[in-house]
Amino acid sequence: MNIQTREGASGATWFVGASYGGTDDQTPRFLSEGIWENGYEDKHLDLVRSMRTGDRIAIKSSYTRKHGLPFETRGQAVSVMAIKAIGTITENLNDGQRVKVDWEKVEPVREWYFNTHRGTVWRVLPGEWMTDGLIAFAFDNKPQDVERFRNAPYWRERFGTAATDKQRFGWTKFYEAIADKLLTYRTNRAVLVDGIRKISLRVEGLGHLAEDKYADGATGFVKDICPFTTMGLFNRGIKDTNRKIIATELADFLGVDEPVPETFEGIPLLNNLKSWYFPFEVNRSPDHIDSLWDVFAAGIAYADTDDDLAREEFAKAFDNANGRRGVAWNLTFGLYWIRPWAFLSLDQGSRTYVSKKLGVPIGLHGPKRRCNSADYLVAMDVLEPRFQEVSYPVHSYPELSLESWLYKAPTEEKSPVGGEDDVDADDDGDDAAALEDVHVAAPIVAYSVDHILEDGCFLERSEIDRLLDRLRTKKNLILQGPPGTGKTWLAKRLAFALMGQKDESKVRAVQFHPNLSYEDFVRGWRPTGEGKLSLADGVFMEAIKAASKDSSSKFVVVIEEINRGNPAQIFGELLTLLEAGKRTPNEALELCYPDADGTRRPVHIPENLYVIGTMNIADRSLALVDLALRRRFAFVGLEPRLGSIWREWVVKSCGVDEVLAADIEQRLADLNERISSDARLGKQFRIGHSYATPVHRLGDGETKKWFQQVVETEIGPLLDEYWFDAPDEAQKATTQLIQGW
């Protein structure tokens, strides 16, 4: 290929489609004419105009496949992107439609797995390991690091190398298989209805299908049915034993080979009083059930293909079915059932989790203040890139659904089944107030010292036990230590271990800073939407009230950087009540501000409310902690932990080269010895192990590059601050960390 000069290139690479709106593949024509064309007159115009001479471009074709792949898929569909041609842009005609390209055909076609893109035009920038790998694969003929991709957070649950018994969400294969078989009955629904009717004669739990009201005034078994109502037969608020029986019968009828799930944890359920997606025959429009089959088919096509047309068809079908009688948020439940890895369920629990925990807004521009297709797709467009982030709370829709089932927003009462916004006033007769979903009580998620160790704690078990013992006895604990010793990381995990369960609704986190006040933390006047002031409780007072209402549970307030604020001023009179011996109504005090109703009620801190603080002892800008605060807290020092436990963790879990891990440990040990022996500094200024622990798994051969970057951008600047009056000393210490590399 005659590679053109890349001067003026934007730094981006482009992966583009060659089929538009169902047209034939245009790749041969593009190659012969030396062009690439945008097949749309109203889309991607700005993207195409931003292409620059010298940018590299590849023609892609994306699809999903379950079999014939060079790794174990466990029957799950894998996103595949075929690279059919690569080239360099030689001219942009600036019409948003066409660029000239010096092409080279790729023979045979090369397949890239996992990290694909739905749109016709994909602008890929270098700098992340995923995009760097893709660019090298497509344009430099480098192999894909499949093992790293399949074990990345977004794909790990489906394709990771962990033992099968460690993987969750095996139920998804059964649900997808049921959907695939149901699709074959789209134009043969009489046979489907007859099969379901025969099942209803053999098993309990399907009597609701015999309550249809026909156009002639008679009643009886439904004459037509949609695919979502069919899958809802085993996704209703009935006993799990009945769900399994119904699921087994339906699978036998459809010819599904996948085993019936053992558990249904985290899967949204329909309310028994509202488990049809359509009204009685006498009340429904002729195209109602057809519209549901349309969105069902379009949803499967959109999940299994990778082009703009599939997205458009899905959006059109979604909006056509959405808002009809019996169709509301439950439309998203059904989409989640049929393709759990591709669609977001917006049951009540998931809506709360997405909006309050993840902070992702859900648009309400559809019928009856619910979402339309644009709102729904935008929410997923925001979430899916986040799923690939190592530190994001969830990494897939099944994990999101499960976590939302377990989630309770802090200090808020869990809503009763459904809610006001779930009422569909247009539903039939006695079902006018029926609700869309049912919330099954979530199980307790146990959390113990074992879990802290499994999460990557480098302390010994006996040390963690000691921390918990001090917290139980003193009620208030401060973790102090040099930077990078995992104080914040450990604080919340100690809270969970203290409670014996992972329940974020019982843990409140706040960071102290110089501008934080008593009014922010305990109680004070706050502006309202009407431009007035009202008394409002702060984080600590909310925690006190929550703990007072539930004496059988433990509650924890985590205060980060507790010495950055003025604790005596922020706690006010409650500082006295923090003492373990004063956690009683007999010691209650009135607050500076009354309750919202104007009454002054004495307040005490209950026994079941604990406080964990963190403190960086190397910050010279902070004053010593007030002695009154010291009397009320147990102080525990955390040390840098670079030893055998750390080495084993970073090698096995973080991909750090085993030989280099030992080398890094020695270099940091030498640095910490140097810091400790310097009279201007001391032990409190040592460098913690967090600096030498990657936040995500490294690829092969990346250890040196990663550590060099850590030294240059994190440790080096910190040493400059330590030895601000001796810059040569700081530079020498930084150089020795990577000397010989």
Side-chain angles (χ1 to χ4, degrees):
M1 179 175 64
N2 178 24
I3 300 295
Q4 301 290 323
T5 176
R6 301 194 67 228
E7 291 185 7
S10 66
T13 54
W14 303 88
F15 292 80
V16 296
S19 300
Y20 316 101
T23 61
D24 294 335
D25 184 6
Q26 301 295 305
T27 301
R29 181 173 69 85
F30 290 167
L31 268 60
S32 65
E33 297 181 13
I35 61 168
W36 177 78
E37 287 181 341
N38 176 15
Y40 300 95
E41 295 182 356
D42 57 348
K43 291 188 299 185
H44 315 308
L45 302 184
D46 290 341
L47 275 175
V48 176
R49 289 192 184 99
S50 69
M51 294 177 176
R52 295 288 179 263
T53 299
D55 284 355
R56 292 184 290 184
I57 186 170
I59 293 177
K60 69 181 178 73
S61 175
S62 301
Y63 43 89
T64 61
R65 199 163 76 230
K66 292 183 179 180
H67 309 290
L69 294 155
F71 53 90
E72 177 57 51
T73 67
R74 300 184 181 90
Q76 298 280 6
V78 181
S79 295
V80 182
M81 185 168 71
I83 305 299
K84 303 165 72 174
I86 59 174
T88 302
I89 296 173
T90 59
E91 184 182 355
N92 190 327
L93 302 180
N94 292 316
D95 57 1
Q97 294 290 324
R98 180 182 298 190
V99 293
K100 294 184 178 180
V101 183
D102 187 359
W103 286 116
E104 176 185 324
K105 187 176 183 180
V106 176
E107 291 185 306
V109 167
R110 301 181 68 220
E111 288 189 338
W112 172 265
Y113 308 112
F114 306 110
N115 185 36
T116 63
H117 182 70
R118 289 184 181 275
T120 298
V121 181
W122 185 17
R123 181 175 183 258
V124 176
L125 295 172
E128 302 290 340
W129 71 267
M130 289 188 187
T131 56
D132 287 349
L134 174 57
I135 293 168
F137 173 86
F139 299 102
D140 302 324
N141 206 33
K142 301 293 185 182
Q144 180 182 6
D145 187 351
V146 172
E147 292 304 297
R148 187 174 186 184
F149 274 90
R150 67 190 294 204
N151 286 293
Y154 186 48
W155 298 284
R156 183 171 52 221
E157 293 282 3
R158 287 168 282 177
F159 311 110
T161 54
T164 304
D165 61 352
K166 299 290 185 183
Q167 293 181 323
R168 304 174 294 174
F169 313 123
W171 59 267
T172 59
K173 292 186 287 185
F174 177 80
Y175 277 64
E176 289 182 350
I178 289 285
D180 290 342
K181 292 293 186 179
L182 271 178
L183 187 58
T184 64
Y185 287 88
R186 182 181 183 185
T187 58
N188 194 17
R189 302 198 303 254
V191 174
L192 175 62
V193 170
D194 186 59
I196 294 172
R197 184 187 60 79
K198 290 177 179 176
I199 293 173
S200 72
L201 299 176
R202 299 192 295 270
V203 303
E204 296 180 358
L206 300 181
H208 63 295
L209 295 180
E211 300 171 354
D212 199 3
K213 297 178 182 178
Y214 304 147
D216 62 4
T219 60
F221 202 84
V222 294
K223 297 178 181 178
D224 199 358
I225 197 167
C226 76
F228 300 120
T229 302
T230 302
M231 293 195 72
L233 299 179
F234 60 92
N235 288 287
R236 304 168 65 227
I238 57 179
K239 293 180 179 179
D240 276 6
T241 51
N242 282 8
R243 293 180 68 185
K244 290 178 183 178
I245 292 171
I246 294 170
T248 299
E249 289 279 354
L250 187 60
D252 288 344
F253 169 72
L254 295 173
V256 170
D257 297 326
E258 290 289 342
V260 173
E262 288 297 319
T263 63
F264 298 89
E265 293 181 347
I267 303 174
L269 301 180
L270 298 174
N271 189 283
N272 287 348
L273 298 177
K274 192 177 181 182
S275 50
W276 293 16
Y277 281 67
F278 48 86
F280 297 137
E281 181 187 272
V282 66
N283 295 325
R284 70 175 176 257
S285 60
D287 68 336
H288 187 117
I289 292 180
D290 286 334
S291 73
L292 292 164
W293 279 97
D294 290 345
V295 72
F296 176 79
I300 291 176
Y302 178 52
D304 294 354
T305 55
D306 192 20
D307 58 58
D308 290 330
L309 179 63
R311 183 181 176 107
E312 291 172 7
E313 292 298 321
F314 169 74
K316 180 180 177 181
F318 184 101
D319 286 334
N320 184 41
N322 191 27
R324 293 173 183 254
R325 298 178 69 175
V327 182
W329 293 112
N330 57 3
L331 185 58
T332 67
F333 310 176
L335 290 166
Y336 175 70
W337 294 335
I338 67 175
R339 287 295 186 267
W341 301 100
F343 289 113
L344 167 67
S345 171
L346 288 177
D347 55 279
Q348 182 182 311
S350 294
R351 296 200 303 276
T352 300
Y353 186 83
V354 169
S355 60
K356 297 199 173 192
K357 172 68 174 179
L358 302 182
V360 176
I362 300 170
L364 301 173
H365 299 96
K368 302 169 190 174
R369 295 198 70 252
R370 299 185 178 101
C371 68
N372 58 21
S373 65
D375 299 327
Y376 185 54
L377 290 167
V378 164
M380 293 195 293
D381 288 343
V382 172
L383 286 167
E384 289 182 13
R386 294 291 187 187
F387 287 161
Q388 298 186 30
E389 298 174 3
V390 174
S391 58
Y392 206 60
V394 291
H395 299 102
S396 66
Y397 294 123
E399 191 174 358
L400 187 156
S401 184
L402 178 60
E403 287 299 314
S404 71
W405 182 47
L406 304 171
Y407 176 73
K408 294 189 287 292
T411 74
E412 292 185 8
E413 298 287 336
K414 192 74 174 179
S415 300
V417 176
E420 287 186 6
D421 67 333
D422 285 330
V423 176
D424 190 342
D426 290 336
D427 265 333
D428 301 299
D430 294 335
D431 292 347
L435 307 169
E436 295 167 13
D437 52 10
V438 59
H439 299 287
V440 180
I444 291 174
V445 179
Y447 198 89
S448 66
V449 174
D450 287 336
H451 294 95
I452 297 179
L453 294 169
E454 290 171 5
D455 285 347
C457 182
F458 308 137
L459 297 176
E460 298 288 346
R461 175 185 292 274
S462 60
E463 294 176 283
I464 302 175
D465 287 336
R466 182 171 65 90
L467 290 175
L468 287 171
D469 184 60
R470 293 302 297 142
L471 180 58
R472 293 187 186 99
T473 303
K474 192 71 174 178
K475 303 293 183 184
N476 312 306
L477 176 73
I478 286 181
L479 303 175
Q480 60 181 0
T485 47
K487 301 179 289 295
T488 298
W489 183 93
L490 182 58
K492 201 168 188 179
R493 287 167 173 79
L494 284 175
F496 290 147
L498 175 75
M499 297 186 300
Q501 65 183 96
K502 194 172 184 179
D503 187 347
E504 295 196 21
S505 71
K506 294 181 173 64
V507 179
R508 301 299 303 272
V510 64
Q511 181 163 340
F512 276 13
H513 54 80
N515 291 328
L516 190 72
S517 67
Y518 175 91
E519 285 74 15
D520 299 317
F521 188 63
V522 180
R523 179 180 289 166
W525 292 100
R526 310 281 173 79
T528 67
E530 294 85 26
K532 301 178 181 179
L533 292 175
S534 67
L535 279 170
D537 288 335
V539 169
F540 197 58
M541 196 62 209
E542 289 176 347
I544 288 174
K545 289 184 175 180
S548 299
K549 291 178 182 177
D550 185 0
S551 59
S552 63
S553 298
K554 293 181 173 69
F555 292 76
V556 180
V557 173
V558 175
I559 304 174
E560 296 186 30
E561 306 285 0
I562 194 169
N563 55 333
R564 281 194 171 274
N566 182 341
Q569 183 267 328
I570 294 171
F571 277 100
E573 61 276 348
L574 294 183
L575 184 60
T576 298
L577 304 183
L578 276 174
E579 283 191 45
K582 295 184 177 179
R583 302 289 191 96
T584 168
N586 291 335
E587 301 289 342
L589 296 173
E590 290 184 4
L591 301 183
C592 292
Y593 297 98
D595 288 350
D597 61 3
T599 303
R600 290 186 176 274
R601 296 180 177 89
V603 173
H604 77 282
I605 300 176
E607 288 274 359
N608 59 326
L609 178 60
Y610 300 77
V611 179
I612 302 176
T614 69
M615 191 167 72
N616 182 1
I617 58 176
D619 195 332
R620 287 183 283 207
S621 67
L622 303 177
L624 294 175
V625 173
D626 186 277
L627 289 177
L629 186 74
R630 283 199 174 276
R631 290 200 308 271
R632 290 163 174 82
F633 281 80
F635 286 73
V636 178
L638 297 183
E639 304 277 329
R641 294 282 175 161
L642 294 165
S644 58
I645 299 176
W646 171 82
R647 284 198 308 275
E648 183 178 356
W649 174 266
V650 296
V651 170
K652 289 186 176 180
S653 300
C654 303
V656 173
D657 180 272
E658 187 171 4
V659 174
L660 293 178
D663 193 9
I664 291 170
E665 179 185 355
Q666 185 59 53
R667 290 169 186 255
L668 284 176
D670 293 342
L671 173 62
N672 281 334
E673 179 61 31
R674 184 174 188 166
I675 292 171
S676 298
S677 60
D678 192 313
R680 295 164 294 184
L681 300 174
K683 287 187 174 182
Q684 69 268 31
F685 288 89
R686 288 172 295 170
I687 303 299
H689 49 267
S690 296
Y691 285 99
T693 306
V695 295
H696 59 74
R697 187 174 183 85
L698 303 178
D700 292 340
E702 291 187 356
T703 300
K704 282 189 178 181
K705 177 184 175 183
W706 162 75
F707 187 65
Q708 286 173 329
Q709 291 176 340
V710 169
V711 171
E712 292 168 2
T713 63
E714 298 178 49
I715 299 177
L718 184 61
L719 297 180
D720 289 337
E721 188 176 310
Y722 283 179
W723 282 297
F724 67 92
D725 55 349
D728 291 343
E729 188 81 10
Q731 182 59 45
K732 185 178 179 181
T734 302
T735 301
Q736 287 182 345
L737 276 175
I738 53 177
Q739 195 168 33
W741 278 20

